[in-house]
Amino acid sequence: MGKSVASRFENIAIDSSVLRAVIINDDELTLEMDFCLEPSHPDYEEPGAGEDACFHPGLLKFAGITRLSLERAEGAASDARRFAIHSFTIEGAKFDMACEWGDIHLQARSIRVLTE
């Protein structure tokens, strides 16, 4: 049996991670992320000079979306490259995130966590 979605976030500090992009395709949504890895994560590397944490690029991919609400924040900079995360919740097939980009609420048949 596969890992639960929540367990795929073990050793990732979601509250310190950032959103880089929101990509919508048919019934799929992809969130490009810079995950903030904790020292016990297998891909963790010591931060370099001037860095506060280990960031690792990755994706959250949602397929078979049955409910989707994207609420872009007023005044969100369109040229921003990274958006801080304020809250992040996954319960079963439901996903909710509030960040500087805006609010994302959805329900999907498949939620995958991918690191590059």
Side-chain angles (χ1 to χ4, degrees), residues 55-94:
F55 286 95
H56 195 77
L59 304 170
L60 293 178
K61 294 185 77 74
F62 304 91
I65 295 174
T66 56
R67 181 182 64 88
L68 175 62
S69 171
L70 300 174
E71 301 167 28
R72 185 75 189 242
E74 286 187 34
S78 60
D79 61 343
R81 295 190 179 267
R82 295 164 59 105
F83 302 94
I85 296 172
H86 304 300
S87 66
F88 182 95
T89 308
I90 292 181
E91 294 179 9
K94 294 181 182 178

Side-chain angles (χ1 to χ4, degrees), residues 4-32:
S4 71
V5 172
S7 71
R8 294 177 193 156
F9 289 99
E10 287 178 2
N11 307 314
I12 297 175
I14 292 297
D15 56 338
S16 298
S17 298
V18 293
L19 173 69
R20 293 185 308 164
V22 177
I23 303 164
I24 303 169
N25 253 341
D26 298 327
D27 73 338
E28 293 185 349
L29 176 76
T30 301
L31 303 179
E32 289 184 9

